[in-house]
Amino acid sequence: MKRRSIIAANWKMNGNLSLITEMIIGLNEVQLAENVDVVVCPSFPYLATFSHLAQTENLQQSIHLGSQNVSEQKSGAYTGEISTDMLKECAVQYVIVGHSERRSIYKETSSLVAQKVTQVLDAGLTPILCVGESESERENEQTNAVLSAQLQPVIDSIGIEKFKDVVIAYEPVWAIGTGKTASPEMAQETHRFIREFLALNSSDIAAKVSLLYGGSVNAANCETLFAQPDIDGGLIGGASLKVDEFKIICSTTKG
Ligand code: PGA
C-alpha cells in the first residue's frame, strides 16, 4: 500500500486573518499530486474562520484544517482548554500533539502526550504525533533511546493497531526554527529507525504510518528530504507562513 504524503503547516503563535485568506486563495491555485494531503494548523481563534472561508472559496478537497494542540480531557472545568468536540465543530481533522515546544516550554510529558493522542483518536481525528531529540541528546548518541521513550507510552496507551490512524512527525529539536536542517541521509536514518521501532510490534502497521520530517524545511531543501524512502512529507513552521514558499513546497511534493 502506498502511504499518503502529508504537508502540514504549523503556524505556531503567528498569522492573522489576512494570512488565512491569502493562504486559502493561494493554496487553491496549487496543483497537488494525487496522493498528497495538505494540512494547515493556525491558532485556535482562526479555526472557525478558516473552515468558513474554505467552504465559501470552495477549497480543494485534499487541503485540511488542523489544530496545534488539544486538551487530554473530554470536557468540564478546565479553564483555557479546548476539547476535541470543539475542534470537530470547527471542521478540524488533524491535531498536532506533543510538539517539542509543548514538551519543553509547557512541560508536557510523554504520558500526557499519550493521553492526548488517545483523546484525539477517540474523537475520530488524526493526531500528528511529534517526536525528536535535542542537540545534546544527539551528540551523546541518545537519539534512538529518546525517540523510543517518546513513542513507547503512546504504543502502550493506544496499542499498535491504532497507529494506522496516527501520523508521526520526526522533528529534531536542534533543527526547529534554526535553519539547521538534518541532512536527507540523517533524517532518513532516523525515520527508518522509527519505522523499525514500530515494526517490533507490527511490521504491517509500521509500513502504513506516514512519517513526516520537520525542522527548517523550506522550498529549497524539501525535494531531497521528501525523496527519502521513509519520509512521507513534512511539518513546516517558518516557511509555511510565506504563502508563495509554502505553495512551492506543496506543489513540489510527489505522492
Ligand atoms: P520550522 O518549524 O520549520 O520553523 O523549523 C517546524 C516545527 O516546529 O514544526
Side-chain angles (χ1 to χ4, degrees), residues 10 12 99-101 130 171 175-179 214-217 235-239:
N10 177 12
K12 311 192 180 187
H99 188 276
S100 69
E101 286 147 20
C130 300
E171 299 202 304
I176 295 178
T178 58
S216 297
V217 176
L235 181 55
I236 327 285

Side-chain angles (χ1 to χ4, degrees), residues 4-242:
R4 286 194 77 74
S5 292
I6 298 170
I7 304 299
N10 177 12
W11 283 7
K12 311 192 180 187
M13 201 169 71
N14 299 298
N16 50 31
L17 282 177
S18 63
L19 185 62
I20 299 268
T21 313
E22 270 176 63
M23 188 59 83
I24 287 176
I25 291 169
L27 283 178
N28 237 1
E29 296 161 0
V30 176
Q31 185 80 42
L32 291 171
E34 208 179 292
N35 201 34
V36 174
D37 282 314
V38 172
V39 183
V40 181
C41 307
S43 296
F44 289 129
Y46 301 119
L47 294 173
T49 310
F50 186 102
S51 62
H52 175 73
L53 276 176
Q55 265 183 347
T56 54
E57 294 295 324
N58 216 358
L59 187 61
Q60 40 181 322
Q61 295 289 312
S62 39
I63 300 175
H64 310 277
L65 182 59
S67 76
Q68 299 171 19
N69 188 20
V70 72
S71 172
E72 76 284 10
Q73 304 291 342
K74 181 102 185 95
S75 66
Y78 301 100
T79 302
E81 291 295 300
I82 309 275
S83 74
T84 48
D85 285 347
M86 295 168 188
L87 296 181
K88 280 167 77 171
E89 283 204 315
C90 296
V92 164
Q93 288 172 274
Y94 290 79
V95 183
I96 298 173
V97 178
H99 188 276
S100 69
E101 286 147 20
R102 302 286 329 161
R103 291 179 191 260
S104 65
I105 305 169
Y106 300 100
K107 310 294 174 217
E108 290 194 7
T109 61
S110 291
S111 96
L112 178 70
V113 170
Q115 288 177 55
K116 291 188 177 198
V117 170
T118 308
Q119 192 66 250
V120 171
L121 286 171
D122 285 352
L125 303 174
T126 303
I128 301 177
L129 167 64
C130 300
V131 295
E133 82 289 359
S134 67
E135 187 150 40
S136 64
E137 287 163 344
R138 177 157 287 268
E139 281 166 5
N140 293 321
E141 297 182 0
Q142 293 170 329
T143 300
N144 294 355
V146 168
L147 297 174
S148 310
Q150 291 172 339
L151 288 167
Q152 193 60 50
V154 184
I155 298 174
D156 292 343
S157 136
I158 64 171
I160 194 68
E161 286 300 317
K162 290 209 178 135
F163 267 81
K164 70 177 186 353
D165 300 319
V166 175
V167 173
I168 297 178
Y170 166 62
E171 299 202 304
V173 178
W174 47 269
I176 295 178
T178 58
K180 284 203 269 178
T181 323
S183 68
E185 296 73 28
M186 186 193 276
Q188 163 55 24
E189 190 184 301
T190 313
H191 279 236
R192 194 183 48 220
F193 167 77
I194 293 172
R195 211 176 288 289
E196 284 171 358
F197 185 75
L198 298 174
L200 294 175
N201 292 278
S202 164
S203 51
D204 179 44
I205 297 291
K208 288 182 177 149
V209 177
S210 292
L211 297 183
L212 317 186
Y213 169 79
S216 297
V217 176
N218 57 39
N221 62 25
C222 64
E223 196 165 7
T224 37
L225 281 163
F226 301 164
Q228 302 303 310
D230 285 296
I231 301 185
D232 309 305
L235 181 55
I236 327 285
S240 73
L241 293 164
K242 300 173 202 144

